[in-house]
mmCIF file of all heavy atoms in Angstrom:
data_model
loop_
_atom_site.group_PDB
_atom_site.id
_atom_site.type_symbol
_atom_site.label_atom_id
_atom_site.label_comp_id
_atom_site.label_asym_id
_atom_site.label_seq_id
_atom_site.Cartn_x
_atom_site.Cartn_y
_atom_site.Cartn_z
ATOM 1 N N LEU A 252 -9.297 -13.205 6.347
ATOM 2 C CA LEU A 252 -10.612 -12.505 6.662
ATOM 3 C C LEU A 252 -10.430 -11.179 7.259
ATOM 4 O O LEU A 252 -9.622 -11.028 8.329
ATOM 5 C CB LEU A 252 -11.370 -13.382 7.642
ATOM 6 C CG LEU A 252 -12.734 -12.827 8.123
ATOM 7 C CD1 LEU A 252 -13.695 -12.810 6.905
ATOM 8 C CD2 LEU A 252 -13.243 -13.657 9.201
ATOM 9 N N ARG A 253 -10.987 -10.136 6.804
ATOM 10 C CA ARG A 253 -11.011 -8.781 7.345
ATOM 11 C C ARG A 253 -12.413 -8.539 8.072
ATOM 12 O O ARG A 253 -13.469 -8.704 7.506
ATOM 13 C CB ARG A 253 -10.862 -7.773 6.261
ATOM 14 C CG ARG A 253 -10.878 -6.270 6.770
ATOM 15 C CD ARG A 253 -9.982 -5.965 7.844
ATOM 16 N NE ARG A 253 -9.702 -4.622 8.090
ATOM 17 C CZ ARG A 253 -10.156 -3.788 8.997
ATOM 18 N NH1 ARG A 253 -11.155 -4.315 9.768
ATOM 19 N NH2 ARG A 253 -9.885 -2.577 9.176
ATOM 20 N N THR A 254 -12.379 -8.222 9.364
ATOM 21 C CA THR A 254 -13.654 -8.030 10.100
ATOM 22 C C THR A 254 -14.162 -6.607 9.817
ATOM 23 O O THR A 254 -13.501 -5.723 9.334
ATOM 24 C CB THR A 254 -13.338 -8.219 11.550
ATOM 25 O OG1 THR A 254 -12.357 -7.301 12.045
ATOM 26 C CG2 THR A 254 -13.003 -9.626 11.835
ATOM 27 N N LEU A 255 -15.439 -6.449 10.256
ATOM 28 C CA LEU A 255 -16.145 -5.118 10.222
ATOM 29 C C LEU A 255 -16.246 -4.599 11.521
ATOM 30 O O LEU A 255 -16.190 -5.358 12.565
ATOM 31 C CB LEU A 255 -17.460 -5.276 9.573
ATOM 32 C CG LEU A 255 -17.490 -5.807 7.983
ATOM 33 C CD1 LEU A 255 -19.017 -6.031 7.645
ATOM 34 C CD2 LEU A 255 -16.789 -4.803 7.214
ATOM 35 N N PRO A 256 -16.427 -3.267 11.723
ATOM 36 C CA PRO A 256 -16.606 -2.177 10.781
ATOM 37 C C PRO A 256 -15.219 -1.820 10.100
ATOM 38 O O PRO A 256 -14.167 -2.291 10.518
ATOM 39 C CB PRO A 256 -17.029 -0.983 11.672
ATOM 40 C CG PRO A 256 -16.598 -1.344 12.972
ATOM 41 C CD PRO A 256 -16.443 -2.733 13.172
ATOM 42 N N LEU A 257 -15.417 -1.199 8.997
ATOM 43 C CA LEU A 257 -14.173 -0.874 8.221
ATOM 44 C C LEU A 257 -14.246 0.519 7.725
ATOM 45 O O LEU A 257 -15.225 0.955 7.182
ATOM 46 C CB LEU A 257 -14.154 -1.807 6.981
ATOM 47 C CG LEU A 257 -13.030 -1.680 5.993
ATOM 48 C CD1 LEU A 257 -11.614 -1.843 6.689
ATOM 49 C CD2 LEU A 257 -13.117 -2.699 4.841
ATOM 50 N N GLN A 258 -13.241 1.311 7.925
ATOM 51 C CA GLN A 258 -13.100 2.658 7.477
ATOM 52 C C GLN A 258 -12.023 2.835 6.376
ATOM 53 O O GLN A 258 -10.999 2.054 6.344
ATOM 54 C CB GLN A 258 -12.793 3.588 8.598
ATOM 55 C CG GLN A 258 -12.877 5.155 8.246
ATOM 56 C CD GLN A 258 -12.861 5.955 9.478
ATOM 57 O OE1 GLN A 258 -12.883 5.532 10.608
ATOM 58 N NE2 GLN A 258 -12.672 7.227 9.279
ATOM 59 N N SER A 259 -12.267 3.715 5.391
ATOM 60 C CA SER A 259 -11.338 3.893 4.375
ATOM 61 C C SER A 259 -9.902 4.159 4.770
ATOM 62 O O SER A 259 -9.777 4.932 5.720
ATOM 63 C CB SER A 259 -11.858 4.934 3.350
ATOM 64 O OG SER A 259 -10.979 5.219 2.386
ATOM 65 N N GLU A 260 -8.945 3.630 4.078
ATOM 66 C CA GLU A 260 -7.619 4.044 4.264
ATOM 67 C C GLU A 260 -6.925 4.715 3.080
ATOM 68 O O GLU A 260 -5.809 4.909 2.861
ATOM 69 C CB GLU A 260 -6.738 2.770 4.545
ATOM 70 C CG GLU A 260 -7.017 2.033 5.751
ATOM 71 C CD GLU A 260 -6.464 2.798 7.042
ATOM 72 O OE1 GLU A 260 -5.736 3.677 6.901
ATOM 73 O OE2 GLU A 260 -6.878 2.365 8.153
ATOM 74 N N GLY A 261 -7.867 5.228 2.221
ATOM 75 C CA GLY A 261 -7.478 5.925 0.976
ATOM 76 C C GLY A 261 -6.516 5.057 0.177
ATOM 77 O O GLY A 261 -6.826 3.905 -0.162
ATOM 78 N N ARG A 262 -5.459 5.622 -0.269
ATOM 79 C CA ARG A 262 -4.481 4.871 -1.069
ATOM 80 C C ARG A 262 -3.681 3.828 -0.321
ATOM 81 O O ARG A 262 -3.096 2.963 -0.835
ATOM 82 C CB ARG A 262 -3.366 5.882 -1.657
ATOM 83 C CG ARG A 262 -3.903 6.633 -2.749
ATOM 84 C CD ARG A 262 -2.690 7.459 -3.296
ATOM 85 N NE ARG A 262 -3.170 8.136 -4.534
ATOM 86 C CZ ARG A 262 -2.352 8.471 -5.608
ATOM 87 N NH1 ARG A 262 -1.163 8.140 -5.537
ATOM 88 N NH2 ARG A 262 -2.848 9.150 -6.538
ATOM 89 N N ARG A 263 -3.784 3.874 1.029
ATOM 90 C CA ARG A 263 -3.004 3.016 1.851
ATOM 91 C C ARG A 263 -3.773 1.732 2.036
ATOM 92 O O ARG A 263 -4.042 1.287 3.202
ATOM 93 C CB ARG A 263 -2.691 3.698 3.127
ATOM 94 C CG ARG A 263 -1.865 4.925 2.961
ATOM 95 C CD ARG A 263 -1.510 5.652 4.243
ATOM 96 N NE ARG A 263 -2.767 5.970 5.019
ATOM 97 C CZ ARG A 263 -3.238 7.170 5.091
ATOM 98 N NH1 ARG A 263 -2.673 8.178 4.631
ATOM 99 N NH2 ARG A 263 -4.375 7.324 5.787
ATOM 100 N N TRP A 264 -4.076 0.994 0.996
ATOM 101 C CA TRP A 264 -4.871 -0.103 1.082
ATOM 102 C C TRP A 264 -4.090 -1.301 1.840
ATOM 103 O O TRP A 264 -4.817 -2.152 2.250
ATOM 104 C CB TRP A 264 -5.154 -0.669 -0.414
ATOM 105 C CG TRP A 264 -3.931 -0.860 -1.230
ATOM 106 C CD1 TRP A 264 -3.369 0.024 -1.980
ATOM 107 C CD2 TRP A 264 -3.260 -2.113 -1.309
ATOM 108 N NE1 TRP A 264 -2.252 -0.509 -2.651
ATOM 109 C CE2 TRP A 264 -2.131 -1.822 -2.248
ATOM 110 C CE3 TRP A 264 -3.267 -3.382 -0.784
ATOM 111 C CZ2 TRP A 264 -1.183 -2.758 -2.672
ATOM 112 C CZ3 TRP A 264 -2.344 -4.358 -1.097
ATOM 113 C CH2 TRP A 264 -1.329 -3.984 -1.946
ATOM 114 N N GLU A 265 -2.855 -1.246 1.920
ATOM 115 C CA GLU A 265 -2.105 -2.295 2.601
ATOM 116 C C GLU A 265 -2.571 -2.372 4.132
ATOM 117 O O GLU A 265 -2.432 -3.463 4.740
ATOM 118 C CB GLU A 265 -0.639 -2.009 2.661
ATOM 119 C CG GLU A 265 -0.043 -1.843 1.228
ATOM 120 C CD GLU A 265 0.055 -0.421 0.738
ATOM 121 O OE1 GLU A 265 -0.586 0.474 1.431
ATOM 122 O OE2 GLU A 265 0.613 -0.152 -0.242
ATOM 123 N N ARG A 266 -3.049 -1.274 4.697
ATOM 124 C CA ARG A 266 -3.547 -1.205 6.057
ATOM 125 C C ARG A 266 -4.787 -1.974 6.305
ATOM 126 O O ARG A 266 -5.259 -2.187 7.451
ATOM 127 C CB ARG A 266 -3.740 0.223 6.528
ATOM 128 C CG ARG A 266 -2.476 0.971 6.468
ATOM 129 C CD ARG A 266 -2.699 2.364 7.071
ATOM 130 N NE ARG A 266 -1.434 3.055 7.109
ATOM 131 C CZ ARG A 266 -1.333 4.330 7.611
ATOM 132 N NH1 ARG A 266 -2.429 4.954 8.029
ATOM 133 N NH2 ARG A 266 -0.107 4.947 7.695
ATOM 134 N N LEU A 267 -5.505 -2.359 5.162
ATOM 135 C CA LEU A 267 -6.779 -2.957 5.339
ATOM 136 C C LEU A 267 -6.719 -4.456 5.756
ATOM 137 O O LEU A 267 -7.619 -5.022 6.390
ATOM 138 C CB LEU A 267 -7.558 -2.905 4.013
ATOM 139 C CG LEU A 267 -7.954 -1.514 3.633
ATOM 140 C CD1 LEU A 267 -8.640 -1.540 2.227
ATOM 141 C CD2 LEU A 267 -8.960 -0.904 4.602
ATOM 142 N N GLY A 268 -5.614 -5.078 5.416
ATOM 143 C CA GLY A 268 -5.457 -6.569 5.784
ATOM 144 C C GLY A 268 -4.462 -7.157 4.747
ATOM 145 O O GLY A 268 -3.887 -6.530 3.939
ATOM 146 N N GLU A 269 -4.436 -8.461 4.943
ATOM 147 C CA GLU A 269 -3.545 -9.237 4.050
ATOM 148 C C GLU A 269 -4.228 -9.717 2.787
ATOM 149 O O GLU A 269 -4.926 -10.774 2.925
ATOM 150 C CB GLU A 269 -2.998 -10.423 4.822
ATOM 151 C CG GLU A 269 -1.827 -11.149 4.105
ATOM 152 C CD GLU A 269 -1.298 -12.288 5.034
ATOM 153 O OE1 GLU A 269 -1.306 -12.158 6.204
ATOM 154 O OE2 GLU A 269 -0.880 -13.321 4.339
ATOM 155 N N PHE A 270 -4.071 -9.000 1.706
ATOM 156 C CA PHE A 270 -4.608 -9.390 0.468
ATOM 157 C C PHE A 270 -3.810 -10.550 -0.221
ATOM 158 O O PHE A 270 -2.666 -10.688 0.043
ATOM 159 C CB PHE A 270 -4.520 -8.142 -0.487
ATOM 160 C CG PHE A 270 -5.588 -7.129 -0.226
ATOM 161 C CD1 PHE A 270 -5.426 -6.230 0.694
ATOM 162 C CD2 PHE A 270 -6.715 -7.137 -1.075
ATOM 163 C CE1 PHE A 270 -6.383 -5.206 0.950
ATOM 164 C CE2 PHE A 270 -7.696 -6.130 -0.818
ATOM 165 C CZ PHE A 270 -7.602 -5.206 0.204
ATOM 166 N N THR A 271 -4.544 -11.374 -0.911
ATOM 167 C CA THR A 271 -4.048 -12.576 -1.610
ATOM 168 C C THR A 271 -4.081 -12.137 -3.108
ATOM 169 O O THR A 271 -5.133 -11.889 -3.657
ATOM 170 C CB THR A 271 -4.841 -13.766 -1.292
ATOM 171 O OG1 THR A 271 -4.826 -14.009 0.090
ATOM 172 C CG2 THR A 271 -4.259 -14.999 -1.989
ATOM 173 N N LYS A 272 -2.830 -12.523 -3.782
ATOM 174 C CA LYS A 272 -2.862 -12.385 -5.207
ATOM 175 C C LYS A 272 -3.753 -13.465 -5.846
ATOM 176 O O LYS A 272 -3.776 -14.617 -5.455
ATOM 177 C CB LYS A 272 -1.384 -12.680 -5.726
ATOM 178 C CG LYS A 272 -0.707 -11.496 -6.120
ATOM 179 C CD LYS A 272 0.671 -11.869 -6.683
ATOM 180 C CE LYS A 272 0.897 -10.897 -7.870
ATOM 181 N NZ LYS A 272 2.233 -11.032 -8.386
ATOM 182 N N VAL A 273 -4.576 -12.974 -6.848
ATOM 183 C CA VAL A 273 -5.428 -13.833 -7.552
ATOM 184 C C VAL A 273 -4.590 -14.471 -8.694
ATOM 185 O O VAL A 273 -4.016 -13.837 -9.578
ATOM 186 C CB VAL A 273 -6.577 -12.977 -8.196
ATOM 187 C CG1 VAL A 273 -7.466 -13.957 -9.040
ATOM 188 C CG2 VAL A 273 -7.435 -12.313 -7.100
ATOM 189 N N PRO A 274 -4.573 -15.888 -8.724
ATOM 190 C CA PRO A 274 -3.954 -16.499 -9.804
ATOM 191 C C PRO A 274 -4.595 -16.041 -11.123
ATOM 192 O O PRO A 274 -5.777 -15.985 -11.286
ATOM 193 C CB PRO A 274 -4.211 -18.091 -9.638
ATOM 194 C CG PRO A 274 -4.522 -18.052 -8.084
ATOM 195 C CD PRO A 274 -5.135 -16.803 -7.794
ATOM 196 N N ARG A 275 -3.784 -15.756 -12.175
ATOM 197 C CA ARG A 275 -4.295 -15.291 -13.376
ATOM 198 C C ARG A 275 -5.338 -16.113 -14.005
ATOM 199 O O ARG A 275 -6.186 -15.734 -14.780
ATOM 200 C CB ARG A 275 -3.127 -14.936 -14.418
ATOM 201 C CG ARG A 275 -2.249 -13.713 -13.906
ATOM 202 C CD ARG A 275 -1.191 -13.451 -14.829
ATOM 203 N NE ARG A 275 -0.382 -12.363 -14.268
ATOM 204 C CZ ARG A 275 -0.057 -11.333 -15.014
ATOM 205 N NH1 ARG A 275 -0.350 -11.268 -16.291
ATOM 206 N NH2 ARG A 275 0.692 -10.386 -14.499
ATOM 207 N N VAL A 276 -5.240 -17.429 -13.786
ATOM 208 C CA VAL A 276 -6.270 -18.386 -14.384
ATOM 209 C C VAL A 276 -7.618 -18.098 -13.738
ATOM 210 O O VAL A 276 -8.627 -18.503 -14.345
ATOM 211 C CB VAL A 276 -5.829 -19.783 -14.170
ATOM 212 C CG1 VAL A 276 -4.564 -20.198 -14.931
ATOM 213 C CG2 VAL A 276 -5.676 -20.259 -12.708
ATOM 214 N N LEU A 277 -7.730 -17.385 -12.689
ATOM 215 C CA LEU A 277 -9.018 -17.081 -12.008
ATOM 216 C C LEU A 277 -9.463 -15.695 -12.370
ATOM 217 O O LEU A 277 -10.563 -15.265 -11.905
ATOM 218 C CB LEU A 277 -8.891 -17.323 -10.501
ATOM 219 C CG LEU A 277 -8.620 -18.801 -10.049
ATOM 220 C CD1 LEU A 277 -8.658 -18.924 -8.551
ATOM 221 C CD2 LEU A 277 -9.587 -19.747 -10.671
ATOM 222 N N ASN A 278 -8.740 -14.895 -13.045
ATOM 223 C CA ASN A 278 -9.098 -13.493 -13.286
ATOM 224 C C ASN A 278 -10.502 -13.413 -13.977
ATOM 225 O O ASN A 278 -11.204 -12.556 -13.663
ATOM 226 C CB ASN A 278 -8.006 -12.798 -14.191
ATOM 227 C CG ASN A 278 -6.899 -12.259 -13.391
ATOM 228 O OD1 ASN A 278 -6.781 -12.567 -12.150
ATOM 229 N ND2 ASN A 278 -6.007 -11.520 -14.016
ATOM 230 N N GLU A 279 -10.661 -14.299 -14.867
ATOM 231 C CA GLU A 279 -11.981 -14.238 -15.713
ATOM 232 C C GLU A 279 -13.166 -14.356 -14.718
ATOM 233 O O GLU A 279 -14.266 -13.902 -14.984
ATOM 234 C CB GLU A 279 -11.892 -15.395 -16.730
ATOM 235 C CG GLU A 279 -13.092 -15.301 -17.694
ATOM 236 C CD GLU A 279 -13.013 -16.450 -18.837
ATOM 237 O OE1 GLU A 279 -12.019 -16.334 -19.567
ATOM 238 O OE2 GLU A 279 -13.901 -17.221 -18.824
#
Side-chain angles (χ1 to χ4, degrees):
L252 177 67
R253 174 58 162 98
T254 58
L255 296 176
L257 179 62
Q258 188 168 350
S259 176
E260 292 287 349
R262 284 185 174 212
R263 299 178 304 253
W264 56 269
E265 304 91 351
R266 295 183 178 184
L267 295 173
E269 189 177 330
F270 282 80
T271 301
K272 255 186 142 173
V273 176
R275 290 182 180 224
V276 294
L277 298 181
N278 279 8
E279 189 177 294

